Amino acid sequence: MKIICVGRNYAEHAAELKNEVPQEPVLFMKPDTSLILPKQPFFYPDFSNDVHYEAEVVVRINRLGKHIETRFAHRYYQEVALGIDFTARDIQNRLKEKGLPWEKAKAFDGAALIGQWVDISQLPPIHTLDFSLHLNGNCVQQGNTGCMLFSVDQLISYISSFFTLKIGDLIFTGTPAGVGPVKKGDILEGFLNHMPNFYLPIR
Ligand code: MG
């Protein structure tokens, strides 16, 4: 299983990190060891002093595919969840300055949370999904998948032109504006289509 993540897929988030809006999707990966196991908290890593949350809709691939056309991409998933792409922003900024890969900032143990899977038949259309993230009870991120620069189906097509997609692969589809730091003792709660999707303490 692999986790493919999309960067800068919402214009307002690209702007808040002073990045250009990309002409094609920005991709990176996380290993399966980055996943937070069920009922586990996020353990704040000792190599960073600036870990940020990034709430993102996650799509689970349910068919093998390569070179998938956008118009057929909807056949390759049936479940979505809300997730968090945890990012050690201090490390990422140092790596970005030097043009180096992001893995130490994005792929460490615990850097990927996934909430409960929801069958898309239970949800509004995939390109009209509301989601939000609350930090200690306050809403800090609000998004709608309609604001993506590249839609879920376009992402699947683009990703599959480089990487064969396999059953169980996960795609983090990018975060809207409002990213920010967490600290030990915080509680993060995710909502997908206004329904609770995850509850995560930071330890
Ligand atoms: Mg992200």
Side-chain angles (χ1 to χ4, degrees):
M1 185 271 282
K2 57 187 173 294
I3 304 171
I4 301 139
C5 304
V6 181
R8 305 173 193 170
N9 200 27
Y10 290 81
E12 288 176 6
H13 170 63
E16 74 179 342
L17 295 186
K18 299 186 169 56
N19 290 315
E20 287 178 13
V21 170
Q23 299 300 307
E24 54 187 0
V26 174
L27 302 182
F28 60 93
M29 292 209 207
K30 295 178 190 265
D32 57 3
T33 46
S34 66
L35 279 176
I36 297 177
L37 297 174
K39 304 205 169 132
Q40 288 294 303
F42 175 83
F43 291 106
Y44 203 105
D46 55 12
F47 50 76
S48 174
N49 294 308
D50 195 26
V51 173
H52 280 201
Y53 55 77
E54 296 187 358
E56 313 197 358
V57 171
V58 185
V59 176
R60 187 175 178 276
I61 295 297
N62 66 355
R63 290 176 64 172
L64 181 76
K66 188 173 174 64
H67 297 298
I68 299 163
E69 287 183 49
T70 301
R71 64 194 169 114
F72 297 130
H74 66 277
R75 299 179 182 175
Y76 288 79
Y77 55 91
Q78 188 62 38
E79 292 176 307
V80 298
L82 195 68
I84 298 188
D85 164 21
F86 280 106
T87 304
R89 194 72 73 201
D90 43 359
I91 294 177
Q92 188 195 29
N93 286 339
R94 287 201 290 274
L95 295 170
K96 275 164 74 176
E97 272 172 29
K98 295 179 184 169
L100 293 170
W102 295 355
E103 274 82 353
K104 284 194 289 184
K106 289 278 200 182
F108 57 86
D109 289 359
L113 174 80
I114 296 172
Q116 288 187 325
W117 293 111
V118 182
D119 194 286
I120 55 174
S121 66
Q122 309 297 311
L123 294 169
I126 189 87
H127 54 278
T128 64
L129 274 184
D130 278 321
F131 59 97
S132 63
L133 181 71
H134 290 202
L135 173 64
N136 303 327
N138 300 311
C139 182
V140 287
Q141 283 194 288
Q142 254 187 317
N144 183 286
T145 52
C147 299
M148 287 180 176
L149 296 170
F150 304 98
S151 70
V152 168
D153 290 355
Q154 288 173 322
L155 291 173
I156 287 173
S157 176
Y158 183 81
I159 291 166
S160 73
S161 69
F162 295 91
F163 313 115
T164 297
L165 289 172
K166 297 176 76 173
I167 295 170
D169 286 350
L170 306 174
I171 300 175
F172 277 67
T173 58
T175 198
V179 301
V182 292
K183 61 183 188 312
K184 291 178 186 176
D186 283 347
I187 301 287
L188 290 174
E189 292 169 282
F191 296 84
L192 181 62
N193 191 33
H194 311 285
M195 301 288 287
N197 191 258
F198 65 72
Y199 175 94
L200 182 72
I202 310 296
R203 295 273 166 77

